[in-house]
Amino acid sequence: MDKNPRILLAAGGTGGHVYPAIAIADALKNERAETEILFVGTKDHMEWQAVPKAGYDIRNVWISGFHRRFTLKNLLFPVKLMTSVIQSLRILSGYKPHVVVSCGGYVAGPVGWVAGKKGIPIVIQEQNSFPGVTNRLLAKFATKIFTAFKEADRYLPEHKTEITGNPTRATLTGADKSKALQSFGFDDNKPVLLVMGGSGGAKTINEAMKANIEQLHNKAGLQIIWQCGARYYDELSTEINEKNLDNLRLTAFLDNMAEAYAASDLVISRAGASSCSELMLTGKPSVLVPSPNVAGDHQTQNAKSMVDAGASKLLEDNAMKETMTELVEQLIYDQENLKRMNQAALNLAKPDAAKLIAKEILEIAKSKL
């Protein structure tokens, strides 16, 4: 081949879209080091920090979602849509990618639509059992669609889909437990609970934690890593007196995810597809709290597949505050059960998802070189 493959990845909004895209980019580089990679995202979302931190260039497209109830922001939507189409056309014409990869989020809409109209091959990576609106719209243009759940096939052209699992960051595994405990200032004689609300935080999880923190910390004797999300951090850090809670680490965001997973014995988390995939990959026993505010209730479907396999327990969002402490105590001190849950999670993992997807993307690119 006389030219390097050029791949453009469109992903935005949440970690659930952005981190799988970064995992694919890393796998592309591992497969073929000279692959050129460009991301497209929006300046006011997490990809603007996460992508450069992972070592990749990113360009901006001005787009946001259409609110279902009337808001003044909706009046801007047609303007944003037209602008985003023009920006996408400019980026695609300048970069000339051999393949465009959509990992979802609003930004992938205009980029994917323009790529489809220009005849550039499109690959979709759909994380959830109920596909997002952008990926459903782009499916007709797609050369290939990679899914993580069989349930997604009923909403997508089945002859294009392949179940690979969700791409996860290779950097999540391999951290040493004792070093991980040290990095959080913890010791190894008390169990560690990791609480995550996703990249944006989760209001119900935070409220339940706030109500139960003293019981979990003092009565249950736990060491706790609590990732609450940037929008909740200032308020929580003033309401909770960390000086009286020596073994609490309250943080807006976790940069050192590998250490957080390695240090923890049990994880409380939303059941977004990326979170579930990371829990499988790291073999972490978990309590999953599906968000009731997502399309198609896909987090409940994600959680049920892990509960059925014995890797997780399900906790209803509206019952969390009242029942979480009892469930956590029951699980975190039962070593035999934790071992069973660990093995069940590992059995579900698809650690080669990113590699498989990268190989097929490069095969599609080869025909365009």
Side-chain angles (χ1 to χ4, degrees):
M1 285 190 266
D2 59 332
K3 286 194 289 185
N4 298 335
R6 282 188 304 279
I7 313 298
L8 185 140
L9 292 113
T14 67
H17 297 307
V18 176
Y19 289 126
I22 291 172
I24 291 170
D26 290 346
L28 285 163
K29 283 289 193 184
N30 282 340
E31 287 300 308
R32 193 177 155 115
E34 62 273 27
T35 304
E36 294 171 28
I37 289 169
L38 179 67
F39 277 75
V40 177
T42 52
K43 277 184 180 171
D44 53 351
H45 284 111
M46 64 159 299
E47 61 268 24
W48 209 250
Q49 275 74 47
V51 169
K53 198 176 276 184
Y56 300 104
D57 288 338
I58 185 166
R59 303 274 174 80
N60 175 54
V61 162
W62 191 48
I63 188 72
S64 61
F66 189 82
H67 296 267
R68 282 182 180 84
R69 65 184 194 284
F70 178 78
T71 77
L72 290 173
K73 285 181 181 175
N74 279 352
L75 298 176
L76 261 182
F77 184 74
V79 182
K80 284 187 174 185
L81 192 59
M82 273 308 301
T83 306
S84 68
V85 167
I86 293 162
Q87 288 172 323
S88 299
L89 186 58
R90 195 175 295 147
I91 291 166
L92 290 167
S93 299
Y95 186 62
K96 296 184 173 60
H98 299 111
V99 180
V100 167
V101 182
S102 165
C103 289
Y106 297 116
V107 71
V111 177
W113 185 80
V114 173
K117 292 294 181 189
K118 282 174 74 73
I120 301 166
I122 296 171
V123 166
I124 289 173
Q125 195 277 313
E126 175 51 56
Q127 298 93 28
N128 290 297
S129 51
F130 180 71
V133 64
T134 305
N135 280 345
R136 291 204 308 277
L137 290 170
L138 293 180
K140 64 179 176 189
F141 295 119
T143 304
K144 189 84 188 176
I145 303 171
F146 297 105
T147 59
F149 294 92
K150 181 81 185 121
E151 293 85 346
D153 285 3
R154 75 180 79 146
Y155 308 101
L156 299 163
E158 259 191 84
H159 63 285
K160 295 181 179 181
T161 63
E162 181 183 337
I163 299 177
T164 56
N166 278 318
T168 40
R169 295 166 283 173
T171 52
L172 288 175
T173 55
D176 177 76
K177 177 154 187 165
S178 59
K179 283 182 185 165
L181 288 166
Q182 277 174 15
S183 75
F184 287 100
F186 289 159
D187 55 46
D188 58 6
N189 62 5
K190 287 180 176 178
V192 176
L193 176 68
L194 169 60
V195 182
M196 302 189 295
S199 53
K203 192 166 189 275
T204 315
I205 293 179
N206 287 336
E207 285 176 353
M209 279 299 294
K210 192 168 74 170
N212 287 275
I213 189 66
E214 289 187 14
Q215 203 172 347
L216 289 166
H217 183 280
N218 300 338
K219 184 169 168 282
L222 303 183
Q223 302 177 113
I224 301 162
I225 304 164
W226 176 7
Q227 179 260 317
C228 63
R231 79 179 82 160
Y232 303 107
Y233 179 75
D234 289 343
E235 188 185 337
L236 283 169
S237 60
T238 54
E239 289 176 352
I240 289 162
N241 189 352
E242 283 185 82
K243 286 195 183 87
N244 295 340
L245 302 163
D246 290 345
N247 291 322
L248 169 66
R249 307 291 175 262
L250 179 68
T251 178
F253 191 76
L254 280 164
D255 281 323
N256 53 339
M257 275 312 305
E259 283 84 4
Y261 281 127
S264 63
D265 297 283
L266 181 69
V267 180
I268 295 177
S269 172
R270 283 296 194 209
S274 284
S275 299
C276 289
S277 297
E278 291 186 0
L279 292 166
M280 293 172 199
L281 188 76
T282 54
K284 285 293 141 182
S286 55
V287 173
L288 296 174
V289 188
S291 170
N293 313 312
V294 293
D297 197 24
H298 64 250
Q299 288 204 5
T300 299
Q301 301 308 315
N302 297 349
K304 279 183 176 163
S305 65
M306 292 186 69
V307 171
D308 291 346
S312 309
K313 297 289 182 189
L314 193 142
L315 192 51
E316 298 284 347
D317 189 77
N318 58 7
M320 191 183 178
K321 198 181 284 189
E322 290 73 34
T323 57
M324 70 176 289
T325 299
E326 187 184 346
L327 180 59
V328 167
E329 283 189 67
Q330 180 192 323
L331 291 172
I332 208 161
Y333 282 106
D334 185 346
Q335 287 301 319
E336 286 308 306
N337 190 30
L338 287 180
K339 274 181 199 159
R340 285 193 295 273
M341 291 173 81
N342 162 259
Q343 196 51 56
L346 290 171
N347 290 345
L348 288 172
K350 292 190 169 73
D352 293 330
K355 186 178 182 177
L356 292 170
I357 293 168
K359 277 180 181 290
E360 294 213 36
I361 290 169
L362 290 171
E363 275 303 308
I364 295 166
K366 194 192 266 185
S367 65
K368 292 286 173 182
L369 286 169

